[in-house]
Amino acid sequence: MRWLVGWSSTAARPSVVGSAGATGDDGEAVRPVGSQLLWGDPDPLWAVGDWRADEVRTVTADEQTRIAVLGTCGASDDELRAGLLSARGGALRHLTAWSGSYTAVVQVGRRLMVAGDLAGARPVFHAPWAGGTAYATAALPLADLIEAHLDIGHLAALLAAPDVPEALHDSTPYQGVRRVPPGHALILRAGAREIAGYDPVASLAVAAPAADADSAVDGVRDALVEAVRARLTAPRHVPGTDIDPGPVPGMGPAERRAARGMPVPGIGADLSGGPASGTLALLAAGLPGMPGTVLGHGTGAGERLLAVTFNDLAVTGREAELERAGAIAANPRLHHVVVAAGEDTLPYADLNGPLTDEPSATLVTAQRHRARLSSGSADHFTGYGARQVLDAHPARLADLLMDRKRRHLVRPVAALTKADGSVLVPARVYGAARKLARTPHRAGIDSLADRLLHRRFDEPGGAVGASLAALTWARPGPAARWLTGEALAEVSVRLNDTTLRAGGPGQRPGDFRARAALARHAAEFRILEQAAEVRFQRLHAPFLDNQVVRACRALPEALRVQPGARAAILRTVLEGAGVADLPPGWGAPSHAPSAQAARTGLRAAVDDLIALFDTPLLAQAGLVEARVVRKALREAAEGQPLPLDGLAELVSTELWLRRLLSRRGTCWTGTPARQRAVPTGSVVPRRGALGAGR
């Protein structure tokens, strides 16, 4: 993990160890383990972890005004200085308008500003400490700092309603540690805390402004090209200093490197055959310069982009995508590597892994991703987030009705009718969209609270059923059906507490649901980076960059809702960048057999999973009954139509709890000896604890 951490205290008191630590209320002097000090007292800032030299940049205007940018940022030093001066006057948006993915921290006197990103892939957390406020880009270090207990209420809400911001609010799995929402910045003034939004949000009161589709797509192209160029212009890295031990029978240099867990030097990309990864691979290979491997290293291809395709031999159904990936890889600037994966890379096959900052369903598939990434490059492009920023959430149909754009519903409804084969589909979809357009946000949250309280989880099946279920302000998560009645009741109370607050989201339901879906996906990608991390490798997801997210949000809804819109937009992006020769079928709807892989992996690992839930920590916390989960695992392995995503969330949360409680050590050092998060080392169920995080 790589993170930054700092704090702001109410008084400008020096630390007992100069600029290397800080003093708490009881006289303790603490500092992060393995840290690099960026600036010292009275409000110190550290970078912690294996940051590259070019990923940590600081610019100083004067003794009281400075900025630190950590990550991949395409801004020059002069642009950073201009943004610093703008932020000094209160213009925070300038800090988030550069290409790349990064975290910016500005200090102006005793005022600190830390900007999170729009998607939520680079969040900011904060917690009260030593009479002021500590902040970090990871929650676990702050939990260690304040020796936080588990927030069982957050875990219950995460399982019951993961897509509902009102259920999670700003909580984390650790009591006392809070999250800054996406699109907001944390502002500290001598320890006092303020959360401020820096990006405008579409208003519910007025119609969305008319947008020109051609100019909006041009904006997406420019943002994607700049996002890719920001990575290409960064210094190249040759992973590690290990010497190749020499020839191994049956293994080439790439295989030997992968066996040691080392990526290939240079830059590469996923090439799944889908439009998102294909777009990034072709953009990276086609931009002027030298996009690929470092000459003399790795494949020996010399400046060819390494394109990695994952071929799952344990399941079928991706033949067409693999064929398209091979056709794209015929580009002479690409070097194609196909990773053949067997049963050992199925979901649930390997449940050993590192402790991540928070729980996520990606923990059960981490080994699957690691198998692909270990054959990748030191800097590796992925297409994560493309679906969330480009596609239309079904709830956007209600937004079109609110703007009196009924004619734009014809094609998406016709596509659903064709998929379902029923003449009743148009009336059902139109009725659900009309109902959502007329339902206030508070009524939608009340409805979810009532569904959880009375355990109503049945939803219609098929493509039409999924769209109808999504045409709501909020809906239960797939794991909610296996939670205890007490846990669901407590989550219902959290939702009711939200509805008692004045006002609502102030957004249209489609835009609101799309932002929530993006935030959840970005959070899962962040945990995936930690769970499947390959040493010396950096994953790049340009679709989650601020400027790309902004450009995609400018796309008119009438364009988004059309069938095949994502592929059409990305095809136009490539044509504008000079790439026109795409294989037949490129951008066809992907029916990757992820559910088949999940069921196959669950069937193979069902005995181990049942043993995992013999005495689960989730049951100790009062969130599930062990026998209920064991029964669900057996039924799913036998082929019963149960929501596999929900079972993955339960298994992942149980794994995360076990890793958290079995860890030794802490993120901090100092005197007296530091404790760690969950200092009791066990789950302590307490009545009313489910609502303690509010």
Side-chain angles (χ1 to χ4, degrees):
M1 287 176 59
R2 289 169 298 279
W3 39 281
L4 62 87
V5 63
W7 50 67
S8 175
S9 57
T10 54
R13 53 186 176 184
S15 66
V16 298
V17 286
S19 296
T23 307
D25 288 333
D26 55 358
E28 58 185 344
V30 297
R31 62 169 295 165
V33 175
S35 60
Q36 169 189 353
L37 185 68
L38 300 184
W39 59 63
D41 297 322
D43 303 312
L45 175 66
W46 289 275
V48 186
D50 59 336
W51 292 96
R52 296 170 176 172
D54 58 287
E55 291 177 330
V56 181
R57 299 166 60 192
T58 58
V59 172
T60 301
D62 55 54
E63 294 182 357
Q64 298 293 320
T65 309
R66 48 195 169 186
I67 181 173
V69 176
L70 289 90
T72 302
C73 181
S76 64
D77 286 351
D78 290 340
E79 290 174 318
L80 291 182
R81 188 170 288 103
L84 171 60
L85 298 178
S86 298
R88 183 169 62 180
L92 295 177
R93 193 175 188 274
H94 293 273
L95 302 177
T96 67
W98 301 307
S99 59
S101 179
Y102 56 88
T103 301
V105 183
V106 169
Q107 183 182 45
V108 180
R110 293 301 314 282
R111 179 162 56 106
L112 285 169
M113 293 160 279
V114 191
D117 66 339
L118 288 173
R122 285 185 169 270
V124 178
F125 303 89
H126 60 90
W129 185 74
T133 301
Y135 62 91
T137 53
L140 182 58
L142 295 183
D144 280 349
L145 182 65
I146 65 174
E147 300 174 9
H149 292 277
L150 280 171
D151 186 347
I152 305 299
H154 174 86
L155 296 179
L158 192 64
L159 293 171
D163 292 325
V164 183
E166 294 79 9
L168 300 173
H169 195 44
D170 63 348
S171 63
T172 68
Y174 316 99
Q175 292 182 23
V177 180
R178 299 294 180 182
R179 182 193 315 269
V180 176
H184 289 69
L186 175 66
I187 303 176
L188 303 175
R189 293 180 175 88
R193 182 182 65 253
E194 176 189 352
I195 309 295
Y198 59 76
D199 221 55
V201 176
S203 173
L204 182 64
V206 297
D212 177 65
D214 292 338
S215 62
V217 174
D218 289 345
V220 174
R221 180 199 63 213
D222 294 342
L224 272 177
V225 169
E226 286 303 316
V228 172
R229 182 176 285 120
R231 276 82 174 183
L232 295 181
T233 56
R236 301 300 168 86
H237 293 271
V238 177
T241 57
D242 295 349
I243 300 176
D244 194 327
V248 177
M251 295 178 67
E255 288 80 6
R256 295 199 299 273
R257 186 180 296 105
R260 301 198 311 274
M262 302 282 285
V264 175
I267 297 179
D270 283 341
L271 187 61
S272 66
S277 63
T279 297
L280 293 178
L282 290 172
L283 283 178
L287 288 177
M290 295 180 287
T293 59
V294 179
L295 188 62
H297 293 276
T299 63
E303 310 309 340
R304 288 202 291 172
L305 190 84
L306 179 69
V308 179
T309 298
F310 185 79
N311 183 15
D312 191 351
L313 302 178
V315 296
T316 59
R318 295 193 62 235
E319 290 77 10
E321 282 195 356
L322 293 173
E323 187 176 338
R324 287 195 293 271
I328 294 172
N331 186 315
R333 301 197 76 180
L334 293 176
H335 175 71
H336 197 203
V337 171
V338 178
V339 178
E343 294 184 356
D344 57 331
T345 61
L346 284 170
Y348 306 100
D350 184 358
L351 298 181
N352 296 317
L355 172 65
T356 56
D357 198 39
E358 299 179 272
S360 169
T362 59
L363 295 184
V364 301
T365 58
Q367 177 59 30
R368 188 175 180 83
H369 293 286
R370 196 180 298 114
R372 178 185 84 254
L373 297 174
S374 61
S375 296
S377 298
D379 288 278
H380 199 75
F381 285 99
T382 65
Y384 288 99
R387 186 185 304 273
Q388 285 68 30
V389 298
L390 288 173
D391 285 10
H393 192 282
R396 287 192 184 273
L397 298 179
D399 294 1
L400 290 173
L401 286 181
M402 296 175 72
D403 291 340
R404 301 183 182 275
K405 297 179 179 178
R406 295 179 179 84
R407 63 186 179 90
H408 297 294
L409 273 66
V410 174
R411 288 184 60 192
V413 171
L416 288 173
T417 304
K418 182 179 179 180
D420 187 83
S422 172
V423 296
L424 300 178
V425 169
R428 294 171 64 194
V429 173
Y430 181 83
R434 188 168 179 265
K435 179 181 178 182
L436 176 58
R438 297 186 174 189
T439 301
H441 172 258
R442 179 169 297 184
I445 300 302
D446 286 339
S447 175
L448 173 61
D450 185 70
R451 288 186 65 182
L452 293 177
L453 194 61
H454 295 91
R455 305 186 69 89
R456 297 199 302 269
F457 304 119
D458 294 334
E459 293 181 344
V464 175
S467 297
L468 292 174
L471 280 165
T472 57
W473 277 104
R475 58 188 290 198
R481 67 187 63 229
W482 293 299
L483 297 186
T484 63
E486 181 185 2
L488 292 174
E490 292 287 355
V491 177
S492 179
V493 170
R494 289 170 69 104
L495 292 169
N496 287 325
D497 288 345
T498 298
T499 61
L500 294 177
R501 296 192 183 100
Q507 299 168 249
R508 283 169 162 68
D511 185 55
F512 177 75
R513 289 295 307 275
R515 289 173 186 258
L518 174 60
R520 186 190 180 199
H521 182 79
E524 290 179 347
F525 172 72
R526 172 175 169 264
I527 301 305
L528 171 64
E529 282 187 291
Q530 301 169 12
E533 183 178 23
V534 175
R535 192 181 181 196
F536 302 119
Q537 186 179 67
R538 297 291 187 269
L539 288 186
H540 300 284
F543 285 102
L544 298 179
D545 288 3
N546 283 344
Q547 288 300 76
V548 177
V549 171
R550 284 193 179 102
C552 292
R553 285 178 178 172
L555 292 168
E557 290 179 342
L559 173 63
R560 288 177 182 273
V561 300
Q562 306 310 317
R566 173 161 43 106
I569 291 169
L570 293 179
R571 182 186 293 272
T572 306
V573 167
L574 287 175
E575 290 174 351
V579 181
D581 189 16
L582 297 174
W586 186 88
S590 173
H591 300 287
S594 56
Q596 180 186 352
R599 193 174 297 278
T600 304
L602 190 149
R603 187 182 299 117
V606 65
D607 293 336
D608 293 336
L609 296 178
I610 289 174
L612 182 70
F613 281 89
D614 277 343
T615 55
L617 295 174
L618 286 173
Q620 293 183 29
L623 298 181
V624 301
E625 292 185 21
R627 61 176 181 82
V628 172
V629 179
R630 291 196 297 267
K631 179 183 177 183
L633 290 169
R634 292 192 188 97
E635 291 177 345
E638 293 169 359
Q640 294 292 327
L642 296 176
L644 301 180
D645 291 347
L647 290 174
E649 291 176 5
L650 288 176
V651 172
S652 296
T653 306
E654 177 67 23
L655 287 172
W656 180 82
L657 283 172
R658 294 188 176 218
R659 294 173 188 175
L660 177 68
L661 298 184
S662 64
R663 69 190 284 245
R664 295 293 180 265
T666 174
C667 297
W668 299 86
T669 183
T671 55
R674 298 298 303 165
Q675 292 293 322
R676 55 186 172 89
V678 198
T680 59
S682 61
V683 175
V684 182
R686 293 184 296 128
R687 191 163 189 82
L690 298 182
R694 302 302 295 168

